């Protein structure tokens, strides 16, 4: 298995580096960068061992490179530590953990403002009917996602709403690229969310909606099949309690394949009462909808 082989090889490099003390050694070889990049590409979101391995190798490289330090080593190390932070914060060295949390607070403030601006457009029927206004909302959501680190609790919610916004713009323009990006954003939101998170079913339903609309555009059986499977998963994950906000539509499981895929064609926007407030995100460990995250 590639993942296990890469972890083993990089661990061996780290062991040599630890025994060598301050000398450069094999850890500074160019192929070590390739190995860490490959491991990052195959590591699962929750693979603590893999992300810690990437972080440790690139951090040691950065520390030992002297005056010729490569900023890429530091960037990759911090990003990998950021992947570990919401899963096992105690494994992240305290100075790095504190730095990442400070950066996340600043990014959360910026992203929250962008999010609020975009939602004011997308939840206003008149503005949402204007393609130029919707495009501005898409741009703001793209910026919000871009500034947030991967470990930030708002990110998945912003991604699912970016997918909704792109699907809204597709309704105006018929541009297939918006549909493809709607699906990929919705899928990334699902992939970034733990199955026991209270909004997991909501994120799944938005992915179903994107797949259904793309199926209607392309007629691809793969999209319909994926929509059916995802809709059933969403129904299984749905909270049996009543919706938390007015107008939310419950997820149901119709009998036909087409009807099953069609259960979530509406965009499920977060209501204003659950919009993020910026700096409170990291201090209270809340998710993008204002509910306390079960993973952090």
């Amino acid at each position: 298995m590639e993942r296990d082989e890469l972890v083993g090889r990089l661990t061996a490099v780290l062991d040599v580096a630890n025994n060598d003390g301050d000398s450069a050694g094999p850890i500074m070889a160019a192929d070590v960068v390739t190995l860490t990049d490959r491991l990052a590409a195959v590591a699962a979101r929750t693979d603590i061992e893999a992300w810690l391995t990437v972080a440790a190798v690139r951090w040691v490289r950065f520390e030992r490179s002297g005056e010729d330090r490569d900023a890429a080593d530091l960037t990759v190390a911090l990003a990998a530590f950021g992947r570990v932070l919401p899963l096992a914060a105690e494994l992240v060295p305290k100075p790095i953990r504190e730095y990442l949390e400070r950066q996340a607070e600043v990014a959360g403030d910026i992203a929250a403002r962008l999010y609020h601006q975009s939602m004011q457009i997308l939840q206003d029927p008149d503005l949402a009917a204007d393609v130029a206004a919707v495009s501005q909302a898409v741009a703001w959501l793209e910026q919000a996602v871009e500034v947030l680190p991967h470990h930030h609790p708002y990110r998945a919610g912003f991604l699912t709403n970016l997918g909704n916004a792109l699907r809204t713009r597709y309704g105006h323009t018929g541009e297939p690229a918006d549909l493809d990006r709607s699906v990929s954003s919705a899928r990334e939101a699902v992939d970034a969310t733990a199955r026991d998170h209270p909004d997991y079913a909501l994120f799944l339903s938005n992915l179903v909606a994107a797949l259904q609309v793309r199926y209607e555009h392309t007629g691809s059986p793969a999209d319909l099949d994926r929509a059916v499977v995802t809709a059933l998963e969403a129904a299984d994950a749905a909270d049996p309690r009543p919706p938390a906000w007015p107008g939310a539509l419950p997820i149901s499981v119709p009998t036909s394949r087409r009807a099953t895929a069609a259960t979530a064609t509406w965009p499920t926007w977060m209501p204003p009462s659950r919009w993020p407030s910026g700096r409170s995100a990291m201090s209270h460990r809340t998710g993008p909808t204002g509910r306390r995250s079960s993973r952090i």
Side-chain angles (χ1 to χ4, degrees):
M1 184 178 182
E2 185 182 16
R3 179 264 182 208
D4 293 340
E5 179 186 352
L6 290 168
V7 169
R9 292 176 65 180
L10 289 168
T11 300
V13 170
L14 273 174
D15 289 342
V16 171
N18 288 333
N19 292 331
D20 286 347
D22 291 332
S23 64
I27 200 165
M28 301 307 296
D31 67 331
V32 169
V33 173
T34 302
L35 293 176
T36 57
D37 289 347
R38 285 171 55 191
L39 180 55
V42 301
R45 179 182 60 84
T46 57
D47 191 340
I48 296 174
E49 181 185 28
W51 290 114
L52 273 178
T53 301
V54 172
V57 169
R58 298 303 286 268
W59 184 263
V60 172
R61 280 178 55 89
F62 176 75
E63 285 191 321
R64 296 198 179 177
S65 53
E67 295 180 358
D68 297 326
R69 284 179 172 175
D70 185 351
D73 282 326
L74 178 60
T75 299
V76 172
L78 290 174
F81 278 126
R83 296 277 191 169
V84 177
L85 186 62
L87 304 171
E90 70 280 3
L91 297 179
V92 179
K94 185 178 179 180
I96 297 174
R97 183 171 69 246
E98 291 176 346
Y99 171 80
L100 290 173
E101 289 177 345
R102 287 195 303 271
Q103 293 297 103
E105 284 185 354
V106 173
D109 287 344
I110 296 170
R113 287 195 294 271
L114 292 166
Y115 182 86
H116 277 252
Q117 292 170 182
S118 67
M119 288 298 101
Q120 288 168 1
I121 291 174
L122 295 167
Q123 293 191 320
D124 183 314
D126 293 330
L127 292 174
D130 182 346
V131 65
V134 172
S135 292
Q136 179 61 74
V138 167
W140 280 332
L141 282 170
E142 289 172 334
Q143 292 173 44
V145 170
E146 182 66 25
V147 301
L148 288 178
H150 282 277
H151 66 274
H152 200 286
Y154 288 173
R155 196 167 187 273
F158 289 3
L159 281 165
T160 201
N161 280 338
L162 174 58
N164 289 341
L166 287 162
R167 197 164 73 253
T168 299
R169 188 168 70 180
Y170 167 78
H172 289 298
T173 67
E175 176 57 51
D178 280 343
L179 260 187
D180 292 340
R181 291 183 57 215
S182 175
V183 170
S184 63
S185 294
R187 181 175 289 119
E188 188 176 352
V190 170
D191 291 343
T193 304
R195 291 177 178 272
D196 60 350
H197 191 281
D199 290 316
Y200 185 64
L202 182 151
F203 296 163
L204 285 168
S205 73
N206 282 335
L207 175 56
V208 173
L211 288 165
Q212 167 67 5
V213 173
R214 192 167 70 175
Y215 166 73
E216 292 172 353
H217 173 76
T218 66
S220 169
D223 279 340
L224 180 59
D225 290 343
R226 187 68 255 171
V228 170
V229 171
T230 306
L232 293 173
E233 187 179 358
D236 184 61
D239 192 328
R241 293 170 297 180
W245 60 90
L249 298 177
I251 298 171
S252 58
V253 186
T255 54
S256 73
R257 294 169 75 248
R258 182 181 295 273
T260 299
T263 57
T265 55
W266 59 87
T268 308
W269 303 108
M270 307 297 178
S273 62
R274 295 171 61 201
W275 288 356
S277 57
R279 193 165 294 276
S280 63
M282 298 307 293
S283 58
H284 297 294
R285 303 295 192 224
T286 56
T289 62
R291 295 193 236 181
R292 188 174 297 274
S293 171
S294 60
R295 297 297 299 180
I296 300 178

Coordinates of all heavy atoms in Angstrom, one line a residue, residues 31-61:
D31 N 14.4 14.3 -3.1 CA 13.4 13.2 -3.3 C 12.5 13.2 -2.0 O 11.4 12.6 -2.1 CB 14.0 11.9 -3.6 CG 14.8 11.3 -2.5 OD1 15.4 12.1 -1.7 OD2 14.9 10.1 -2.4
V32 N 13.0 13.7 -0.9 CA 12.2 13.7 0.3 C 11.0 14.6 0.1 O 9.9 14.3 0.6 CB 13.0 14.2 1.6 CG1 12.1 14.4 2.8 CG2 14.1 13.1 1.9
V33 N 11.2 15.7 -0.6 CA 10.0 16.6 -0.9 C 9.0 15.9 -1.7 O 7.8 15.9 -1.5 CB 10.5 17.9 -1.6 CG1 9.3 18.7 -2.1 CG2 11.4 18.7 -0.7
T34 N 9.5 15.1 -2.7 CA 8.6 14.3 -3.5 C 7.8 13.3 -2.7 O 6.6 13.1 -2.9 CB 9.3 13.6 -4.6 OG1 10.0 14.6 -5.4 CG2 8.4 12.8 -5.5
L35 N 8.5 12.7 -1.8 CA 7.8 11.7 -0.9 C 6.7 12.3 0.0 O 5.6 11.7 0.1 CB 8.8 10.9 -0.1 CG 9.9 10.0 -0.8 CD1 10.9 9.5 0.2 CD2 9.1 8.9 -1.5
T36 N 7.0 13.5 0.5 CA 6.0 14.1 1.4 C 4.8 14.6 0.5 O 3.7 14.5 1.0 CB 6.6 15.3 2.2 OG1 7.2 16.2 1.3 CG2 7.7 14.8 3.2
D37 N 5.1 15.1 -0.7 CA 4.0 15.5 -1.5 C 3.1 14.3 -1.9 O 1.9 14.5 -1.9 CB 4.6 16.2 -2.8 CG 5.2 17.5 -2.5 OD1 5.0 18.1 -1.4 OD2 5.9 18.0 -3.4
R38 N 3.7 13.2 -2.2 CA 3.0 12.0 -2.5 C 2.1 11.5 -1.3 O 1.0 11.1 -1.5 CB 3.9 10.9 -3.0 CG 4.4 11.1 -4.4 CD 5.5 10.1 -4.7 NE 5.1 8.7 -4.5 CZ 5.9 7.6 -4.5 NH1 7.2 7.8 -4.7 NH2 5.4 6.4 -4.3
L39 N 2.7 11.6 -0.1 CA 2.0 11.1 1.0 C 0.8 12.1 1.3 O -0.3 11.6 1.6 CB 2.9 11.1 2.3 CG 2.2 10.7 3.6 CD1 1.5 9.3 3.4 CD2 3.3 10.6 4.7
A40 N 1.0 13.4 1.2 CA -0.1 14.3 1.3 C -1.2 14.1 0.3 O -2.4 14.3 0.7 CB 0.5 15.8 1.2
A41 N -0.8 13.7 -0.8 CA -1.8 13.4 -1.9 C -2.7 12.2 -1.6 O -3.9 12.2 -2.0 CB -1.2 13.3 -3.2
V42 N -2.2 11.2 -0.9 CA -3.0 10.0 -0.7 C -3.5 9.9 0.7 O -4.3 9.0 1.0 CB -2.1 8.7 -1.0 CG1 -1.6 8.7 -2.4 CG2 -0.9 8.6 0.0
A43 N -3.1 10.8 1.6 CA -3.5 10.7 3.0 C -5.0 11.1 3.2 O -5.4 12.0 2.6 CB -2.6 11.6 3.9
A44 N -5.7 10.3 4.0 CA -7.1 10.6 4.3 C -7.1 11.8 5.2 O -6.1 12.1 5.9 CB -7.7 9.4 5.0
R45 N -8.2 12.5 5.2 CA -8.4 13.7 6.0 C -8.1 13.4 7.5 O -7.5 14.3 8.2 CB -9.8 14.2 5.9 CG -10.1 15.5 6.7 CD -11.6 15.9 6.5 NE -12.5 14.8 6.9 CZ -12.9 14.7 8.2 NH1 -12.4 15.5 9.1 NH2 -13.7 13.7 8.5
T46 N -8.4 12.2 8.0 CA -8.3 11.9 9.4 C -7.1 11.1 9.7 O -6.9 10.6 10.8 CB -9.5 11.2 9.9 OG1 -9.7 10.0 9.1 CG2 -10.8 12.0 9.8
D47 N -6.1 11.0 8.8 CA -4.9 10.2 9.0 C -3.9 11.0 9.7 O -3.0 11.6 9.2 CB -4.4 9.7 7.6 CG -3.3 8.7 7.7 OD1 -2.7 8.5 8.8 OD2 -3.1 8.0 6.7
I48 N -4.0 10.9 11.0 CA -3.1 11.7 11.9 C -1.7 11.3 11.7 O -0.8 12.2 11.6 CB -3.5 11.5 13.4 CG1 -4.9 12.1 13.6 CG2 -2.5 12.2 14.3 CD1 -5.4 11.8 15.0
E49 N -1.4 10.0 11.6 CA 0.0 9.6 11.5 C 0.6 10.1 10.2 O 1.8 10.6 10.2 CB 0.1 8.1 11.4 CG 1.5 7.5 11.3 CD 1.6 6.0 11.2 OE1 0.6 5.4 10.7 OE2 2.6 5.5 11.6
A50 N -0.1 10.1 9.1 CA 0.4 10.5 7.8 C 0.7 12.1 7.9 O 1.8 12.5 7.4 CB -0.5 10.2 6.7
W51 N -0.2 12.8 8.4 CA -0.1 14.3 8.4 C 1.0 14.7 9.3 O 1.8 15.6 9.1 CB -1.4 15.0 8.7 CG -2.4 14.9 7.6 CD1 -3.6 14.2 7.6 CD2 -2.3 15.4 6.3 NE1 -4.2 14.3 6.4 CE2 -3.5 15.0 5.6 CE3 -1.3 16.2 5.6 CZ2 -3.7 15.4 4.3 CZ3 -1.5 16.6 4.3 CH2 -2.7 16.2 3.6
L52 N 1.1 14.0 10.5 CA 2.2 14.3 11.4 C 3.6 14.0 10.8 O 4.6 14.7 11.0 CB 2.1 13.5 12.7 CG 1.2 14.2 13.8 CD1 1.1 13.2 15.0 CD2 1.8 15.5 14.2
T53 N 3.6 12.9 10.0 CA 4.9 12.6 9.3 C 5.3 13.6 8.3 O 6.4 14.1 8.3 CB 4.7 11.2 8.6 OG1 4.4 10.2 9.5 CG2 6.0 10.8 7.9
V54 N 4.3 14.1 7.5 CA 4.6 15.2 6.5 C 5.1 16.4 7.3 O 6.1 17.1 6.9 CB 3.4 15.5 5.7 CG1 3.6 16.7 4.8 CG2 3.0 14.3 4.8
A55 N 4.4 16.8 8.4 CA 4.7 18.0 9.1 C 6.1 17.9 9.7 O 6.9 18.9 9.6 CB 3.6 18.2 10.2
A56 N 6.4 16.8 10.3 CA 7.7 16.6 11.0 C 8.8 16.7 10.0 O 9.9 17.4 10.2 CB 7.7 15.3 11.8
V57 N 8.7 16.0 8.9 CA 9.8 16.0 7.9 C 10.0 17.4 7.3 O 11.2 17.9 7.3 CB 9.5 15.0 6.8 CG1 10.5 15.2 5.6 CG2 9.5 13.6 7.3
R58 N 9.0 18.1 6.9 CA 9.2 19.4 6.3 C 9.6 20.4 7.4 O 10.4 21.3 7.0 CB 7.9 19.8 5.6 CG 7.5 18.9 4.5 CD 8.5 18.7 3.4 NE 8.7 19.9 2.6 CZ 8.0 20.1 1.4 NH1 7.2 19.2 1.0 NH2 8.2 21.2 0.7
W59 N 9.2 20.3 8.6 CA 9.6 21.2 9.7 C 11.1 21.0 9.9 O 11.9 22.0 10.1 CB 8.8 20.9 10.9 CG 9.2 21.9 12.0 CD1 10.1 21.7 13.1 CD2 8.7 23.2 12.2 NE1 10.1 22.8 13.9 CE2 9.3 23.8 13.3 CE3 7.8 24.0 11.4 CZ2 9.0 25.1 13.8 CZ3 7.5 25.3 11.9 CH2 8.1 25.8 13.0
V60 N 11.6 19.8 10.0 CA 13.0 19.5 10.3 C 13.8 20.0 9.1 O 14.9 20.7 9.3 CB 13.3 18.0 10.5 CG1 14.8 17.7 10.5 CG2 12.6 17.6 11.8
R61 N 13.3 19.8 7.9 CA 14.0 20.4 6.7 C 14.2 21.9 6.8 O 15.2 22.5 6.6 CB 13.3 20.0 5.4 CG 13.5 18.6 4.9 CD 12.7 18.4 3.7 NE 12.9 19.4 2.6 CZ 13.8 19.3 1.7 NH1 14.6 18.2 1.7 NH2 14.0 20.2 0.8

